[in-house]
Protein backbone atom coordinates (compact mmCIF):
# COMPACT_ATOMS: atom_id res chain seq x y z
CA UNK A 1 0.00 0.00 0.00
CA UNK A 2 1.25 3.48 -0.84
CA UNK A 3 2.59 5.50 2.05
CA UNK A 4 0.26 8.39 2.85
CA UNK A 5 -0.19 10.07 6.23
CA UNK A 6 -2.30 13.17 5.73
CA UNK A 7 -3.09 15.78 8.34
CA UNK A 8 -6.33 17.72 8.79
CA UNK A 9 -6.80 20.91 6.82
CA UNK A 10 -5.48 23.89 8.76
CA UNK A 11 -2.92 21.85 10.71
CA UNK A 12 -0.11 24.26 11.63
CA UNK A 13 3.41 23.43 10.53
CA UNK A 14 6.48 25.39 11.47
CA UNK A 15 9.71 25.47 13.39
CA UNK A 16 11.02 27.24 16.45
CA UNK A 17 13.79 29.14 18.12
CA UNK A 18 14.36 31.08 21.32
CA UNK A 19 15.68 34.63 21.61
CA UNK A 20 19.16 34.20 23.03
CA UNK A 21 19.89 31.07 21.00
CA UNK A 22 19.58 32.96 17.69
CA UNK A 23 19.49 36.71 18.09
CA UNK A 24 23.17 37.42 18.79
CA UNK A 25 24.64 40.75 19.93
CA UNK A 26 23.11 40.86 23.40
CA UNK A 27 25.45 41.19 26.36
CA UNK A 28 22.92 41.85 29.00
CA UNK A 29 21.68 38.41 29.99
CA UNK A 30 23.00 35.71 32.25
CA UNK A 31 23.89 33.20 29.51
CA UNK A 32 26.31 35.73 28.00
CA UNK A 33 27.92 36.08 31.38
CA UNK A 34 27.89 32.31 31.91
CA UNK A 35 29.69 31.85 28.59
CA UNK A 36 32.27 34.48 29.53
CA UNK A 37 32.98 32.49 32.68
CA UNK A 38 33.96 29.53 30.48
CA UNK A 39 30.94 27.29 31.02
CA UNK A 40 30.20 26.45 27.39
CA UNK A 41 31.68 23.17 26.18
CA UNK A 42 32.92 24.42 22.81
CA UNK A 43 33.96 27.83 24.14
CA UNK A 44 31.42 29.78 22.05
CA UNK A 45 29.16 32.61 23.26
CA UNK A 46 25.52 33.41 22.38
CA UNK A 47 26.64 36.92 21.49
CA UNK A 48 27.92 35.39 18.23
CA UNK A 49 24.83 33.29 17.58
CA UNK A 50 23.38 33.41 14.09
CA UNK A 51 22.32 37.10 14.21
CA UNK A 52 18.60 36.62 13.66
CA UNK A 53 18.21 40.11 15.15
CA UNK A 54 19.87 41.45 12.02
CA UNK A 55 18.96 38.85 9.41
CA UNK A 56 15.37 38.11 10.43
CA UNK A 57 14.02 38.93 6.95
CA UNK A 58 16.29 36.32 5.40
CA UNK A 59 15.25 33.79 8.02
CA UNK A 60 11.56 34.43 7.64
CA UNK A 61 12.15 34.03 3.89
CA UNK A 62 13.63 30.59 4.64
CA UNK A 63 10.62 29.68 6.76
CA UNK A 64 8.45 30.65 3.82
CA UNK A 65 10.59 28.52 1.54
CA UNK A 66 9.83 25.61 3.87
CA UNK A 67 6.10 26.44 3.48
CA UNK A 68 5.68 27.31 7.16
CA UNK A 69 2.24 28.43 8.25
CA UNK A 70 3.57 29.26 11.71
CA UNK A 71 6.83 29.76 13.61
CA UNK A 72 7.88 30.11 17.21
CA UNK A 73 10.22 32.91 18.22
CA UNK A 74 11.23 34.28 21.62
CA UNK A 75 11.49 37.69 23.24
CA UNK A 76 14.65 38.62 25.13
CA UNK A 77 13.63 40.12 28.47
CA UNK A 78 17.16 41.50 28.91
CA UNK A 79 16.82 43.57 25.74
CA UNK A 80 13.31 44.80 26.51
CA UNK A 81 14.09 45.72 30.13
CA UNK A 82 17.87 46.23 30.16
CA UNK A 83 17.73 47.84 33.59
CA UNK A 84 15.13 47.30 36.23
CA UNK A 85 12.02 49.40 35.40
CA UNK A 86 13.69 50.82 32.27
CA UNK A 87 12.07 49.54 29.10
CA UNK A 88 13.55 50.03 25.67
CA UNK A 89 10.74 50.76 23.25
CA UNK A 90 13.09 50.68 20.27
CA UNK A 91 13.64 46.98 21.03
CA UNK A 92 9.90 46.37 21.14
CA UNK A 93 9.60 48.24 17.82
CA UNK A 94 12.17 45.89 16.36
CA UNK A 95 10.16 42.89 17.57
CA UNK A 96 7.12 44.50 15.91
CA UNK A 97 9.09 44.58 12.65
CA UNK A 98 9.89 40.89 13.00
CA UNK A 99 6.28 39.98 13.77
CA UNK A 100 4.97 42.13 10.92
CA UNK A 101 7.33 40.45 8.51
CA UNK A 102 6.04 37.06 9.67
CA UNK A 103 2.45 38.20 9.20
CA UNK A 104 3.28 39.62 5.76
CA UNK A 105 4.52 36.15 4.82
CA UNK A 106 1.40 34.47 6.28
CA UNK A 107 3.40 32.90 9.08
CA UNK A 108 1.45 32.93 12.29
CA UNK A 109 3.66 33.86 15.28
CA UNK A 110 3.90 31.88 18.48
CA UNK A 111 5.92 33.94 20.95
CA UNK A 112 7.77 32.76 24.06
CA UNK A 113 8.13 35.22 26.91
CA UNK A 114 10.76 33.38 28.94
CA UNK A 115 13.18 30.83 27.51
CA UNK A 116 16.05 30.26 29.97
CA UNK A 117 17.90 33.61 29.78
CA UNK A 118 17.41 36.41 32.34
CA UNK A 119 18.43 40.06 32.48
CA UNK A 120 21.59 40.55 34.53
CA UNK A 121 19.83 42.93 36.94
CA UNK A 122 17.41 40.10 37.80
CA UNK A 123 20.19 37.51 38.05
CA UNK A 124 21.97 39.79 40.55
CA UNK A 125 18.83 39.85 42.67
CA UNK A 126 18.59 36.08 42.88
CA UNK A 127 16.86 35.39 39.55
CA UNK A 128 13.96 32.97 39.82
CA UNK A 129 14.64 32.29 43.49
CA UNK A 130 13.86 35.93 44.36
CA UNK A 131 10.70 36.65 46.31
CA UNK A 132 9.94 39.42 43.84
CA UNK A 133 10.50 37.55 40.59
CA UNK A 134 6.82 36.93 39.90
CA UNK A 135 6.10 40.62 40.23
CA UNK A 136 9.02 41.54 37.95
CA UNK A 137 8.11 38.93 35.36
CA UNK A 138 4.45 39.92 35.22
CA UNK A 139 5.37 43.58 34.80
CA UNK A 140 7.58 42.66 31.85
CA UNK A 141 4.85 40.45 30.38
CA UNK A 142 2.30 43.25 30.58
CA UNK A 143 4.63 45.64 28.82
CA UNK A 144 5.48 43.18 26.05
CA UNK A 145 1.93 41.94 25.50
CA UNK A 146 0.45 45.45 25.37
CA UNK A 147 3.06 46.42 22.81
CA UNK A 148 3.00 43.34 20.62
CA UNK A 149 -0.22 41.43 21.34
CA UNK A 150 -2.08 42.57 18.24
CA UNK A 151 0.50 40.69 16.16
CA UNK A 152 0.76 37.48 18.18
CA UNK A 153 -1.43 34.39 17.83
CA UNK A 154 -0.13 32.16 20.63
CA UNK A 155 1.80 33.10 23.79
CA UNK A 156 4.09 30.72 25.63
CA UNK A 157 4.67 32.17 29.07
CA UNK A 158 7.56 29.95 30.17
CA UNK A 159 9.67 27.42 28.35
CA UNK A 160 10.53 24.16 30.12
CA UNK A 161 10.29 25.16 33.78
CA UNK A 162 11.53 21.77 35.01
CA UNK A 163 14.53 21.78 32.67
CA UNK A 164 15.40 25.32 33.69
CA UNK A 165 15.08 24.70 37.43
CA UNK A 166 16.97 21.40 37.21
CA UNK A 167 19.79 22.66 35.00
CA UNK A 168 20.27 25.94 36.86
CA UNK A 169 19.70 24.84 40.47
CA UNK A 170 20.15 21.07 40.72
CA UNK A 171 22.82 20.13 38.16
CA UNK A 172 24.47 23.55 38.14
CA UNK A 173 24.78 23.57 34.35
CA UNK A 174 22.85 26.77 33.54
CA UNK A 175 23.51 30.07 35.25
CA UNK A 176 23.73 30.68 38.17
CA UNK A 177 25.11 27.14 38.51
CA UNK A 178 23.81 26.52 42.01
CA UNK A 179 23.17 23.08 43.48
CA UNK A 180 20.30 23.26 45.93
CA UNK A 181 17.23 21.06 46.09
CA UNK A 182 15.33 23.73 48.03
CA UNK A 183 16.07 26.37 45.39
CA UNK A 184 15.12 24.00 42.58
CA UNK A 185 11.64 23.61 44.01
CA UNK A 186 11.37 27.31 44.83
CA UNK A 187 12.14 28.15 41.19
CA UNK A 188 9.48 25.75 39.92
CA UNK A 189 6.96 27.18 42.36
CA UNK A 190 7.79 30.74 41.30
CA UNK A 191 7.55 29.80 37.63
CA UNK A 192 4.16 28.18 38.20
CA UNK A 193 2.92 31.30 40.02
CA UNK A 194 4.39 33.48 37.28
CA UNK A 195 2.62 31.48 34.59
CA UNK A 196 -0.75 31.66 36.34
CA UNK A 197 -0.45 35.42 36.94
CA UNK A 198 0.75 36.07 33.37
CA UNK A 199 -2.08 33.96 31.96
CA UNK A 200 -4.70 36.16 33.63
CA UNK A 201 -2.93 39.39 32.69
CA UNK A 202 -2.67 38.41 29.03
CA UNK A 203 -6.36 37.54 28.90
CA UNK A 204 -7.22 40.81 30.63
CA UNK A 205 -5.15 42.86 28.14
CA UNK A 206 -6.79 41.16 25.16
CA UNK A 207 -10.22 41.87 26.61
CA UNK A 208 -9.40 45.53 27.24
CA UNK A 209 -7.89 46.02 23.80
CA UNK A 210 -10.67 44.09 22.03
CA UNK A 211 -8.11 41.74 20.48
CA UNK A 212 -10.32 38.66 20.84
CA UNK A 213 -9.34 35.65 22.89
CA UNK A 214 -5.64 34.87 23.16
CA UNK A 215 -4.18 31.39 23.32
CA UNK A 216 -1.80 31.08 26.25
CA UNK A 217 0.18 28.08 27.45
CA UNK A 218 3.57 26.84 28.55
CA UNK A 219 6.09 24.73 26.64
CA UNK A 220 6.55 21.69 28.82
CA UNK A 221 9.34 19.21 28.23
CA UNK A 222 7.98 15.72 28.85
CA UNK A 223 9.93 12.47 28.67
CA UNK A 224 9.09 8.83 29.14
CA UNK A 225 10.63 7.27 32.25
CA UNK A 226 10.75 3.47 32.41
CA UNK A 227 12.42 1.09 34.86
CA UNK A 228 15.85 -0.09 33.72
CA UNK A 229 15.18 -3.57 35.01
CA UNK A 230 11.48 -4.33 34.74
CA UNK A 231 11.85 -7.08 37.35
CA UNK A 232 13.33 -4.74 39.96
CA UNK A 233 10.71 -2.93 42.10
CA UNK A 234 13.29 -0.31 43.11
CA UNK A 235 13.84 0.63 39.47
CA UNK A 236 10.06 0.94 39.10
CA UNK A 237 9.96 3.24 42.09
CA UNK A 238 12.82 5.36 40.75
CA UNK A 239 11.13 5.70 37.35
CA UNK A 240 7.91 6.82 39.03
CA UNK A 241 9.78 9.38 41.13
CA UNK A 242 11.66 10.77 38.13
CA UNK A 243 8.40 11.14 36.25
CA UNK A 244 6.63 12.75 39.16
CA UNK A 245 9.44 15.27 39.60
CA UNK A 246 10.30 16.07 35.98
CA UNK A 247 6.97 15.71 34.16
CA UNK A 248 4.25 16.22 36.72
CA UNK A 249 5.29 18.46 39.62
CA UNK A 250 5.06 21.75 37.71
CA UNK A 251 1.85 20.87 35.88
CA UNK A 252 0.17 19.89 39.13
CA UNK A 253 1.20 23.17 40.74
CA UNK A 254 -0.19 25.15 37.81
CA UNK A 255 -3.40 23.19 37.76
CA UNK A 256 -3.96 23.34 41.49
CA UNK A 257 -4.73 27.04 41.25
CA UNK A 258 -6.96 27.20 38.20
CA UNK A 259 -7.19 26.11 34.65
CA UNK A 260 -4.67 28.35 32.98
CA UNK A 261 -3.74 26.36 29.90
CA UNK A 262 -5.57 27.27 26.70
CA UNK A 263 -3.14 25.06 24.88
CA UNK A 264 -0.70 22.36 25.93
CA UNK A 265 2.76 23.08 24.52
CA UNK A 266 4.78 19.87 24.40
CA UNK A 267 8.54 19.70 23.89
CA UNK A 268 9.48 16.11 23.17
CA UNK A 269 13.00 14.84 22.59
CA UNK A 270 13.54 11.42 24.13
CA UNK A 271 12.99 9.05 27.04
CA UNK A 272 15.07 7.47 29.80
CA UNK A 273 15.45 4.20 31.59
CA UNK A 274 15.82 4.75 35.31
CA UNK A 275 18.01 2.63 37.55
CA UNK A 276 17.79 2.83 41.33
CA UNK A 277 18.45 5.24 42.96
CA UNK A 278 18.13 7.77 40.12
CA UNK A 279 20.50 6.89 37.32
CA UNK A 280 19.23 7.82 33.85
CA UNK A 281 20.28 5.47 31.06
CA UNK A 282 19.59 5.00 27.35
CA UNK A 283 18.10 1.96 25.65
CA UNK A 284 20.81 -0.23 24.16
CA UNK A 285 18.80 -1.04 21.03
CA UNK A 286 18.03 2.55 19.98
CA UNK A 287 20.03 4.85 17.71
CA UNK A 288 21.59 7.89 19.43
CA UNK A 289 22.08 11.46 18.24
CA UNK A 290 25.29 13.47 18.46
CA UNK A 291 24.64 14.32 22.10
CA UNK A 292 24.06 10.65 22.92
CA UNK A 293 20.27 10.98 23.29
CA UNK A 294 18.13 8.00 22.34
CA UNK A 295 15.98 8.50 19.28
CA UNK A 296 12.69 7.18 20.57
CA UNK A 297 9.72 8.28 18.42
CA UNK A 298 7.27 5.92 20.13
CA UNK A 299 7.79 7.93 23.29
CA UNK A 300 6.07 10.86 21.59
CA UNK A 301 2.96 8.74 21.05
CA UNK A 302 3.04 7.50 24.64
CA UNK A 303 3.32 11.02 26.05
CA UNK A 304 0.53 12.36 23.83
CA UNK A 305 -1.70 9.47 24.74
CA UNK A 306 -1.20 10.03 28.45
CA UNK A 307 -1.11 13.81 28.78
CA UNK A 308 -3.73 14.78 26.24
CA UNK A 309 -6.29 12.58 27.86
CA UNK A 310 -5.30 13.95 31.27
CA UNK A 311 -5.42 17.68 30.45
CA UNK A 312 -7.75 17.74 27.47
CA UNK A 313 -6.56 20.96 25.84
CA UNK A 314 -5.30 21.13 22.26
CA UNK A 315 -1.67 20.14 21.96
CA UNK A 316 0.97 22.11 20.10
CA UNK A 317 4.24 20.27 19.66
CA UNK A 318 6.30 23.30 20.58
CA UNK A 319 9.65 21.48 20.14
CA UNK A 320 10.87 18.25 18.63
CA UNK A 321 14.21 17.77 16.94
CA UNK A 322 17.67 16.31 17.15
CA UNK A 323 21.33 17.22 17.25
CA UNK A 324 22.90 15.99 14.04
CA UNK A 325 26.11 17.45 12.68
CA UNK A 326 25.81 16.26 9.09
CA UNK A 327 22.01 16.04 8.71
CA UNK A 328 22.18 12.27 8.40
CA UNK A 329 19.66 11.38 11.10
CA UNK A 330 17.27 14.31 10.84
CA UNK A 331 15.26 13.29 7.74
CA UNK A 332 14.22 9.93 9.20
CA UNK A 333 13.87 11.51 12.66
CA UNK A 334 11.26 13.86 11.21
CA UNK A 335 9.41 11.10 9.34
CA UNK A 336 9.35 8.89 12.44
CA UNK A 337 8.02 11.62 14.72
CA UNK A 338 5.48 13.01 12.26
CA UNK A 339 4.24 9.45 11.79
CA UNK A 340 3.76 9.09 15.57
CA UNK A 341 1.85 12.37 15.61
CA UNK A 342 -0.41 11.04 12.92
CA UNK A 343 -0.97 7.86 14.92
CA UNK A 344 -1.87 9.87 18.02
CA UNK A 345 -4.33 11.98 16.06
CA UNK A 346 -5.99 8.88 14.66
CA UNK A 347 -6.34 7.76 18.26
CA UNK A 348 -8.22 10.96 19.14
CA UNK A 349 -5.49 13.31 20.39
CA UNK A 350 -6.25 16.89 19.35
CA UNK A 351 -2.99 18.24 17.94
CA UNK A 352 -3.11 21.72 16.44
CA UNK A 353 0.44 22.09 15.20
CA UNK A 354 4.04 20.92 15.03
CA UNK A 355 7.12 23.14 15.46
CA UNK A 356 10.35 21.43 14.54
CA UNK A 357 13.30 22.44 16.71
CA UNK A 358 15.03 24.26 15.33
CA UNK A 359 14.67 26.59 12.37
CA UNK A 360 18.41 27.36 12.25
CA UNK A 361 21.54 25.83 13.72
CA UNK A 362 21.69 27.88 16.87
CA UNK A 363 23.42 28.32 20.21
CA UNK A 364 22.74 24.94 21.80
CA UNK A 365 22.86 25.99 25.45
CA UNK A 366 25.89 24.60 27.31
CA UNK A 367 26.96 22.68 24.20
CA UNK A 368 27.39 25.93 22.27
CA UNK A 369 27.23 26.77 18.58
CA UNK A 370 28.79 23.58 17.29
CA UNK A 371 25.86 21.32 18.18
CA UNK A 372 23.49 21.57 15.27
CA UNK A 373 19.70 21.23 15.55
CA UNK A 374 18.66 23.32 12.53
CA UNK A 375 16.68 22.68 9.39
CA UNK A 376 18.93 25.40 8.02
CA UNK A 377 22.72 25.13 8.16
CA UNK A 378 24.51 28.19 9.48
CA UNK A 379 28.16 28.83 8.73
CA UNK A 380 29.20 30.29 12.08
CA UNK A 381 32.56 31.42 10.68
CA UNK A 382 31.08 33.39 7.79
CA UNK A 383 30.89 37.18 8.37
CA UNK A 384 27.16 37.15 7.53
CA UNK A 385 26.55 33.71 9.02
CA UNK A 386 25.61 32.27 5.64
CA UNK A 387 22.49 30.12 5.74
CA UNK A 388 21.86 27.03 3.58
CA UNK A 389 18.73 24.91 3.60
CA UNK A 390 19.62 21.35 4.63
CA UNK A 391 18.18 18.25 2.97
CA UNK A 392 16.00 17.80 6.05
CA UNK A 393 14.79 21.40 5.61
CA UNK A 394 13.81 20.67 2.02
CA UNK A 395 12.09 17.48 3.05
CA UNK A 396 10.27 19.21 5.89
CA UNK A 397 9.13 21.89 3.44
CA UNK A 398 7.73 19.14 1.21
CA UNK A 399 5.91 17.54 4.15
CA UNK A 400 4.40 20.90 5.03
CA UNK A 401 3.52 21.59 1.40
CA UNK A 402 1.78 18.20 1.11
CA UNK A 403 0.25 18.48 4.61
CA UNK A 404 1.70 15.12 5.55
CA UNK A 405 4.00 12.30 4.52
CA UNK A 406 3.59 11.01 0.99
CA UNK A 407 5.09 8.12 -0.94
CA UNK A 408 7.00 10.58 -3.10
CA UNK A 409 8.58 12.36 -0.13
CA UNK A 410 9.78 9.07 1.30
CA UNK A 411 11.10 8.00 -2.10
CA UNK A 412 12.86 11.33 -2.67
CA UNK A 413 14.53 11.60 0.74
CA UNK A 414 14.66 8.35 2.73
CA UNK A 415 13.64 5.53 0.35
CA UNK A 416 14.37 2.87 2.96
CA UNK A 417 12.03 4.50 5.54
CA UNK A 418 9.11 2.44 6.84
CA UNK A 419 6.71 3.45 9.62
C1 LIG B 1 15.15 23.69 24.88
C2 LIG B 1 15.89 24.32 23.74
C3 LIG B 1 17.08 23.46 23.34
C4 LIG B 1 16.58 22.09 22.96
C5 LIG B 1 17.67 21.12 22.55
C6 LIG B 1 15.00 22.20 24.78
O1 LIG B 1 15.12 21.61 26.03
O2 LIG B 1 13.92 24.34 25.07
O3 LIG B 1 16.25 25.61 24.10
O4 LIG B 1 17.86 24.01 22.34
O5 LIG B 1 15.94 21.51 24.06
O6 LIG B 1 18.49 20.85 23.62
Amino acid sequence: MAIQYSFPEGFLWGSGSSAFQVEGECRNHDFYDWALQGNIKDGTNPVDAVHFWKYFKKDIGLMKKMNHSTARIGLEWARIEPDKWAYDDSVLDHYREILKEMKAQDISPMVTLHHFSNPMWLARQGGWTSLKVVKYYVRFVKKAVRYLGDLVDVWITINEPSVYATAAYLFGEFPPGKKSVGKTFRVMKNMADAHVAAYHEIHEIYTQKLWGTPKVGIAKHLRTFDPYNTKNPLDHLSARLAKRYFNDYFLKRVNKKSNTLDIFGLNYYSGDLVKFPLKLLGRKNLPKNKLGWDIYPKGLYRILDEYYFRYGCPVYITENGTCDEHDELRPSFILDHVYQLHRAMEHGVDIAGYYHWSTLDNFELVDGLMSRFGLVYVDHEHPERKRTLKTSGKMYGDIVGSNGITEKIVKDYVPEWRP
Side-chain angles (χ1 to χ4, degrees), residues 21 115-116 159-160 163 221 267 269 293 319 357 362 364-365 373:
Q21 291 179 272
H115 194 130
F116 299 159
N159 181 69
E160 299 194 340
V163 170
H221 188 138
N267 293 1
Y269 286 91
W293 306 352
E319 287 182 30
W357 186 271
N362 61 23
E364 177 44 29
L365 314 175
F373 274 78

Side-chain angles (χ1 to χ4, degrees), residues 12-17 52 56-73 96-111 150-154 354-355 359 396 400:
L12 295 165
W13 295 99
S15 58
S17 60
F52 175 75
F56 69 89
K57 283 204 174 131
K58 241 186 232 175
D59 295 336
I60 294 168
L62 285 160
M63 295 171 193
K64 189 74 197 162
K65 210 167 177 185
M66 291 186 280
N67 295 313
H68 284 24
S69 49
T70 184
R72 177 179 175 211
I73 63 161
R96 281 194 75 81
E97 288 308 305
I98 297 174
L99 293 167
K100 276 191 194 152
E101 180 68 19
M102 290 171 77
K103 290 267 173 184
Q105 301 289 345
D106 273 330
I107 296 173
S108 142
M110 169 187 276
V111 176
D150 57 318
L151 297 170
V152 175
D153 296 311
V154 182
Y354 174 84
Y355 296 73
T359 314
Y396 186 59
V400 179

Side-chain angles (χ1 to χ4, degrees), residues 242-259:
K243 178 170 186 275
R244 199 174 290 174
Y245 163 75
F246 188 83
N247 285 359
D248 297 333
Y249 175 79
F250 179 84
L251 289 171
K252 284 205 172 125
R253 267 213 91 90
V254 163
N255 253 45
K256 218 189 235 170
K257 303 220 162 172
S258 54
N259 180 15

Side-chain angles (χ1 to χ4, degrees), residues 101-387:
E101 180 68 19
M102 290 171 77
K103 290 267 173 184
Q105 301 289 345
D106 273 330
I107 296 173
S108 142
M110 169 187 276
V111 176
T112 311
L113 288 150
H114 185 271
H115 194 130
F116 299 159
S117 54
N118 298 295
M120 279 314 291
W121 63 261
L122 176 65
R124 286 191 200 102
Q125 292 191 24
W128 282 89
T129 63
S130 154
L131 289 173
K132 294 190 178 152
V133 66
V134 176
K135 189 173 114 194
Y136 296 150
Y137 171 77
V138 170
R139 209 177 52 202
F140 151 70
V141 168
K142 279 159 73 176
K143 174 79 186 177
V145 172
R146 283 201 186 113
Y147 218 101
L148 306 171
D150 57 318
L151 297 170
V152 175
D153 296 311
V154 182
W155 289 100
I156 297 296
T157 54
I158 298 203
N159 181 69
E160 299 194 340
S162 329
V163 170
Y164 175 74
T166 308
Y169 291 93
L170 195 65
F171 295 163
E173 289 174 350
F174 286 5
K178 294 265 163 18
K179 292 189 183 177
S180 151
V181 175
K183 284 188 175 153
T184 307
F185 280 95
R186 195 185 316 157
V187 167
M188 279 203 269
K189 176 193 168 300
N190 283 342
M191 287 191 149
D193 292 349
H195 163 77
V196 172
Y199 176 92
H200 292 301
E201 291 293 350
I202 298 172
H203 274 263
E204 178 68 31
I205 293 169
Y206 273 62
T207 308
Q208 279 168 10
K209 300 249 188 195
L210 307 176
W211 286 340
T213 311
K215 290 194 180 79
V216 184
I218 48 171
K220 182 74 180 81
H221 188 138
L222 296 177
R223 310 174 67 81
T224 54
F225 293 101
D226 295 298
Y228 175 72
N229 176 354
T230 49
K231 294 200 180 93
N232 184 343
L234 289 174
D235 288 2
H236 278 270
L237 178 71
S238 302
R240 274 205 303 278
L241 277 179
K243 178 170 186 275
R244 199 174 290 174
Y245 163 75
F246 188 83
N247 285 359
D248 297 333
Y249 175 79
F250 179 84
L251 289 171
K252 284 205 172 125
R253 267 213 91 90
V254 163
N255 253 45
K256 218 189 235 170
K257 303 220 162 172
S258 54
N259 180 15
T260 53
L261 294 178
D262 301 322
I263 63 145
F264 193 105
L266 167 64
N267 293 1
Y268 176 79
Y269 286 91
S270 189
D272 302 291
L273 295 180
V274 192
K275 192 168 161 48
F276 180 80
L278 264 178
K279 196 167 172 116
L280 302 178
L281 297 160
R283 288 169 161 82
K284 288 205 183 82
N285 57 337
L286 287 181
K288 320 274 173 224
N289 76 4
K290 191 210 157 194
L291 297 175
W293 306 352
D294 280 2
I295 299 181
Y296 182 45
K298 278 190 189 134
L300 175 59
Y301 179 88
R302 286 176 56 196
I303 295 281
L304 286 167
D305 188 35
E306 178 176 348
Y307 286 85
Y308 172 69
F309 292 105
R310 189 182 307 169
Y311 289 98
C313 41
V315 180
Y316 286 64
I317 308 297
T318 34
E319 287 182 30
N320 173 238
T322 197
C323 183
D324 176 15
E325 186 113 11
H326 303 294
D327 205 38
E328 290 153 348
L329 303 167
R330 193 170 291 102
S332 56
F333 180 99
I334 293 174
L335 291 171
D336 285 338
H337 286 79
V338 169
Y339 167 70
Q340 294 296 336
L341 276 192
H342 189 268
R343 254 186 89 205
M345 288 173 87
E346 297 256 282
H347 182 58
V349 179
D350 177 5
I351 305 171
Y354 174 84
Y355 296 73
H356 190 78
W357 186 271
S358 167
T359 314
L360 305 150
D361 287 338
N362 61 23
F363 185 80
E364 177 44 29
L365 314 175
V366 289
D367 289 295
L369 279 175
M370 299 309 161
S371 294
R372 298 179 181 274
F373 274 78
L375 293 166
V376 175
Y377 178 87
V378 179
D379 180 350
H380 300 302
E381 309 294 322
H382 190 275
E384 285 165 24
R385 309 300 191 275
K386 187 167 178 269
R387 281 95 157 117

